[in-house]
Amino acid sequence: MIEHLDGAVIPTGFDVPVEPLRRAAHYTGEPGCIADARAFTANFLEQLRKEWCADVGRRTEGEVLLVVSELVTNADRHSKGPYILELEGTGTSVAVVVYDSSVALPRRFPKDPERIGRHGLEIVHAVAAEIAVERVPVGKRVRAVVSLSPQ
């Protein structure tokens, strides 16, 4: 960080990144894409720890990986084309964004322990601080924000 005192620039020796860490990956839907997306996310979280000194606890890391798995799995199953995973992180949160070509918006079903499948959005809602879904010119965009907390 740099402090300004009467026009003088005083380096404090502690520089915090100004822009969030952003990374994106493109997936074709070939077998192994979901595992690749999880590995991409794990690398992103490690980079966030190093560059932002983000305190990402094991539980929170698992939650981010779970959100990625659910959103990428939904894109893989429901779109008729490639999809994009975009990650954006700071010292306080990670946004997981998935773009796909399907215009059908995901539905959150009521809790039903006897239902087999269709729990993805319910799971994402349980761990994410924010969720937004919107149509975009090429399909849809699903964004989930997970708050970082050490554990």
Side-chain angles (χ1 to χ4, degrees):
M1 184 154 95
I2 297 176
E3 294 182 16
H4 299 273
L5 181 64
D6 296 328
V9 177
I10 303 167
T12 62
F14 182 71
D15 292 333
V16 177
V18 177
E19 292 292 320
L21 179 63
R22 292 184 181 100
R23 297 289 179 267
H26 175 269
Y27 299 97
T28 61
E30 296 292 318
C33 284
I34 297 163
D36 290 346
R38 287 177 57 87
F40 176 78
T41 302
N43 289 335
F44 173 85
L45 292 173
E46 188 57 35
Q47 189 175 7
L48 190 64
R49 285 181 181 105
K50 289 177 183 173
E51 293 182 18
W52 270 83
C53 299
D55 195 0
V56 183
R58 297 187 88 188
R59 179 182 174 137
T60 303
E61 180 175 3
E63 289 174 350
V64 172
L65 291 170
L66 180 60
V67 168
V68 167
S69 293
E70 292 298 334
L71 296 184
V72 169
T73 296
N74 287 345
D76 192 67
R77 285 188 182 158
H78 302 293
S79 69
K80 292 184 170 100
Y83 43 91
I84 296 169
L85 168 63
E86 197 174 76
L87 301 170
E88 180 177 296
T90 64
T92 59
S93 66
V94 172
V96 177
V97 183
V98 175
Y99 293 86
D100 70 47
S101 61
S102 172
V103 294
L105 299 180
R107 280 188 8 192
R108 182 176 173 196
F109 294 92
K111 291 182 181 182
D112 180 358
E114 295 182 19
R115 183 179 65 245
I116 298 173
R118 299 186 181 257
H119 292 280
L121 205 52
E122 182 181 338
I123 292 167
V124 173
H125 272 272
V127 298
E130 301 172 31
I131 297 177
V133 178
E134 65 181 334
R135 286 193 173 97
V136 294
V138 296
K140 71 176 169 293
R141 171 184 183 258
V142 181
R143 180 176 190 268
V145 178
V146 178
S147 297
L148 300 182
S149 59
Q151 295 178 8

